Amino acid sequence: MILTAAQLRAARGLLDWTRNDLAKAANISPETVKNIEHGTFRPQEQTADAIVRAFASHDVAFTEDEGVRKKKELVRTFQGKEGFIEKLDHVYNVARDGAPITRHLALSDNYAPTVAPEYVKAYADKMRAISGLDARCLIWEGDYNFTFDYCQYRWLKKDHKWVMPFYLYGNYASFMMHTTPDFFMTVSIYSEFLVENLKKQFDLLWAEAIVPTKKKGGPSSK
């Protein structure tokens, strides 16, 4: 996508972002933002995609007529490796912007470090820095893959075969739709009602979940 200087300034205006804010959100330098807005050069495709993702995670979209618009997507779909990264960006932005409580009924956290190990590490560092973060994750009993060290893990008893994985962050409820280990797809629904009721289910499971024991020959769990 070709971004114009006017679009970039208008998009920042919708969010009341400084150039530094955009640079941080898109993981680019403030100088790059400045040069684009001054028309010094056009961003490369990778940079443009990062900028588009940064704004999209805050419900700002670029239109084909070189405009911008604020939107609130009630349903968002994340698919494939790029979708996985976009989903983590969305979680981080929602948590950072005032909703630092996440609840993850994951059943397994094996996918994340396999598909994007370097990004996952950077993501974990950012999440760990969020003030007041309260992240909890339920995985199957006996699973020692505690992927995200900012998160508190507990084991779900194996007799709960009926549970469906979900992720709660802010007023978003995210459901895992992928059916094979090598394919990622989730759908996030914006619904305070849905999140409130799923959180009650999570809290009941959390209360009876098992605190992981120390693995023989391995590190202690949280």
Side-chain angles (χ1 to χ4, degrees), residues 68-137:
V68 294
R69 64 186 175 89
K70 195 83 166 69
K71 63 177 182 176
K72 173 61 72 175
E73 289 183 324
L74 297 180
V75 179
R76 306 173 69 122
T77 300
F78 306 93
Q79 184 171 323
K81 179 179 178 179
E82 290 302 315
F84 172 73
I85 292 174
E86 185 181 350
K87 162 70 182 303
L88 293 186
D89 283 342
H90 193 229
V91 172
Y92 168 71
N93 287 323
V94 170
R96 182 193 62 181
D97 292 347
I101 297 176
T102 68
R103 297 290 183 265
H104 194 185
L105 203 165
L107 304 187
S108 174
D109 248 357
N110 294 342
Y111 183 86
T114 301
V115 68
E118 291 303 317
Y119 182 85
V120 166
K121 182 180 183 302
Y123 166 80
D125 290 341
K126 293 193 300 182
M127 289 292 286
R128 199 182 307 111
I130 294 176
S131 176
L133 181 65
D134 179 5
R136 302 180 187 182
C137 182

Side-chain angles (χ1 to χ4, degrees), residues 22-34:
L22 172 56
K24 183 177 181 181
N27 196 28
I28 59 178
S29 71
E31 188 69 19
T32 296
V33 178
K34 176 183 175 182

